[in-house]
Amino acid sequence: MAWYRQLHWQIIIGLILGTIYGVLAAAQGWGGFVSDWVAPFGTIFINGLKLIAVPLILASLVTGVASLSDLKKLSRIGGKTIGIYIATTAVAVTLGLFIVNALDPGLAVPQEMRAELEAEYATDAEGRMASAANAEARGPLQVLVDLVPDNFFAAITAGTRLFGGDGFSNEASTLQVVFVSLLLGIGLIQVPPERAKPLLSVFESLNDVVIKLVDVIMLMAPVGVFALIAATITSLAGDDVGRIIALLGALGYYCIAVLAGLALHTLITYPLMLRVFTPMKLGTFFSGIGPAQLVAFSTSSSGATLPVTMERCEEKLGVSEEVSSFVLPLGATINMDGTALYQAVAAVFIAQALGMDLSIAAQLTIVLTAVLASIGTAAVPGAGIIMLVIILQSVNVPAEGIALILGVDRILDMVRTVTNVTGDATVATIVASTEGQLNIPDPSVDTDRLVAVA
Ligand code: ASP
């Protein structure tokens, strides 16, 4: 098959052309045109993905659980998944702290630049701090309360709120869909097979249909990605490309520290884990998961990317549906290694730039709060910086300091979302492998669904 017909190449081409067009549009002052005529195609693409996320979680999780012979297996897989998720996040935060302490990027920010950034982003920072205050006011056990919906149908229709809104109510609604699906699946195991069959068939059929729809929506990915990237660039630059370049110059060291940490975690920690716990070849893993990484990069949302992650893990990596349908939706909501790593670097950077020295005890507090915060971070663009406010408060660094990094946050968000999604896929592969549920497809049989659909 010609290389350009492969999905990931088409998305990469969309990404490159979108970047070139975005820079050109910003330089020419075409921001208004882009937001009126280009950006909507990106929104349509993301909406399409969000649209199928809820039916996909519901159908695949119900059928996955119902196919389990015993519930012990479910709790074993659940325990293992959450354990690995927390462990990888702790590694990510520690890695971030090592890098930021080694590079000391905060010491490189000149005094006058600090004042300028603080003034420019003060209002934005206030908005983020208000959202963080909302999240904190909800109380420590609110997460558990939110897990159990009081209305079955409202939970299932949560799609309208899913991955949108303020970034917190939707966090709960994703987990509510997972909870309701688990309950339904458990109920189906408990009734005699002939009574369960009709309902189960509905979910099985829905599952097959939705997985096919992922392929259909992904046909739009190259155009969607083009539009998303172009719109991000023009809105960041605000008709002045020099602005992005100046910001990157001022915060260059900080960006390098975050990107180096994310690269190490994505390209060393995960491959090492895959090597140790699975027979998966790294080439197969990264080419399989590539399109999901590209969608994560352009949407900055691991929630919107979820349908693609699930499809790629099942079709290209050979993760069983039973494992992927449980591990991936859970991962998209609670596992954010990239976000946690970035939060650790950002917290120390802000402290350094404000002339504060963080003790070892404070850095350990960062490890703990960043792991917890990443669990509570919603899978939507920009959620990480809201939770950063809570981390800063835990180590007594003024939260207004986020004004220093707001200008480059969207760019780093794109990259940390790639790490988040790669982490979910890695854990799904490991859980599947250790459960004997990994059937790596033969790479010589090309199953690229794009061609199948086209
Ligand atoms: N955008 C990230 C995600 O969806 C969350 C964040 O770090 O802001 O995974």
Side-chain angles (χ1 to χ4, degrees), residues 300-303 332 336 338-339 342 377-385 413 416-417 420:
S300 284
S301 166
S302 31
M336 306 220 171
T339 301
Y342 138 85
T377 305
V380 294
I385 201 162
D413 193 3
R416 66 188 188 241
T417 308
N420 291 344

Side-chain angles (χ1 to χ4, degrees), residues 141-214:
L141 289 186
Q142 192 60 36
V143 186
L144 282 184
V145 176
D146 286 346
L147 192 63
V148 187
D150 59 356
N151 180 327
F152 186 88
F153 294 100
I156 298 303
T157 54
T160 46
R161 291 178 290 140
L162 198 67
F163 316 128
D166 63 7
F168 293 98
S169 50
N170 62 68
E171 174 77 3
S173 60
T174 323
L175 289 178
Q176 284 183 355
V177 179
V178 172
F179 182 83
V180 165
S181 315
L182 282 175
L183 265 190
L184 262 176
I186 292 171
L188 281 169
I189 302 179
Q190 308 289 321
V191 297
E194 70 282 0
R195 308 285 287 176
K197 193 148 191 324
L199 186 58
L200 191 54
S201 304
V202 171
F203 283 114
E204 280 168 350
S205 162
L206 179 64
N207 193 32
D208 290 351
V209 171
V210 178
I211 283 276
K212 273 274 171 255
L213 288 184
V214 179

